[in-house]
Amino acid sequence: MALLEIRNLAVDFEMKKTTIHAVRNVSLTLQKGETHCVVGESGCGKSVSSFAIMNLIEQNGKITNGEIIFDGRDLRKIGENEFRKIRGKEISMIFQDPMNSLNPVYRCGDQIAETLTNHTEISKKDALAEAARVLDLVKVPLVQKRLMQYPHELSGGLRQRIMIAAAIICKPKLLIADEPTTALDVTVQKEILNLLADLQKEMGMAILFITHDLGIVRKIADKISVLYAGEVVESATSDALFTSPKHPYTQGLLNAIPKIDKISEKLKPIKGDLPDPSKEIFSCAFEPRCPKSSEICKTQKPPTNEINGHKFMCFQEK
């Protein structure tokens, strides 16, 4: 049985004069101990999908369709009180910007320990001792000093490690990482990615990794889902997607990656913009930007093709 299975997820946001269809039809499966990367450009629905799993959609947002099955339970049928027992304990999340995610008026040690005290009968003293152990596990130097510091006193890399420590202290089955290295320099990015890989091996947790950086994806992913305009347009193992991408959008993303051995070559950006999220889409969402589009793409929704587990939505690529 899969650890996480999302089926036909749709999320809308009600604005003053319109409805934004942020996620239209997302389906993906995550196995125990697996790293599944969700990729796509800004606005495609990556982060909203992860917030839906955590039941953290903003007040003007609503899940309008779909199922979120975690460890055999449909999370959409669980009340908020029951969800609090799962969030932070069985499913944890690392957010994109630790400076905005950590509470600026609480010491780092207290914030890490709070996750543990919320889900167990452990004392505050023992929780702080466990927080120190976990900080050492995520390779934070001068642990006792860091426990007493506030987030603004730390570097971006250390703040991210504090976030990771808080996320893993209850040994979750699933860790959702929403662009966890975006605000970090390249050296620190590598350290954080290596840290997550080491923690995954040690704890056996699954990771749902949200990113727009395909360079990162190739290094860490077991499986990849490519989102476009709120839909999964291609899903495959990492090797299959990088060696034989099927969807024109995926091909465009890969062609836009700078290549060290071909520095003189110009990058090939994907022309155009994402479709208006307030409008329904009854044809291929990528058609206006697609170099391979034909008349059928303008009038019909493409089918989902599958070849040896490699899924893709396209009329042209078969």
Side-chain angles (χ1 to χ4, degrees), residues 61 182 244 276 279 285:
T182 297
S244 183
D276 187 339
K279 296 180 179 178

Side-chain angles (χ1 to χ4, degrees), residues 37-83:
C37 289
V38 179
V39 302
E41 60 195 302
S42 297
C44 71
K46 305 187 300 297
S47 293
V48 174
S49 297
S50 66
F51 289 142
I53 297 170
M54 296 290 287
N55 198 27
L56 292 175
I57 298 294
E58 294 180 22
Q59 287 188 348
N60 65 327
K62 182 180 180 181
I63 297 176
T64 58
N65 189 51
E67 298 173 293
I68 303 172
I69 310 298
F70 173 72
D71 207 19
R73 294 164 288 179
D74 188 344
L75 298 184
R76 290 199 62 200
K77 296 179 179 179
I78 294 176
E80 179 57 27
N81 288 337
E82 184 66 22
F83 213 112

Side-chain angles (χ1 to χ4, degrees), residues 126-143:
D126 289 342
L128 283 171
E130 180 64 10
R133 188 191 71 80
V134 174
L135 282 182
D136 187 59
L137 184 65
V138 299
K139 299 178 174 62
V140 170
L142 305 173
V143 168

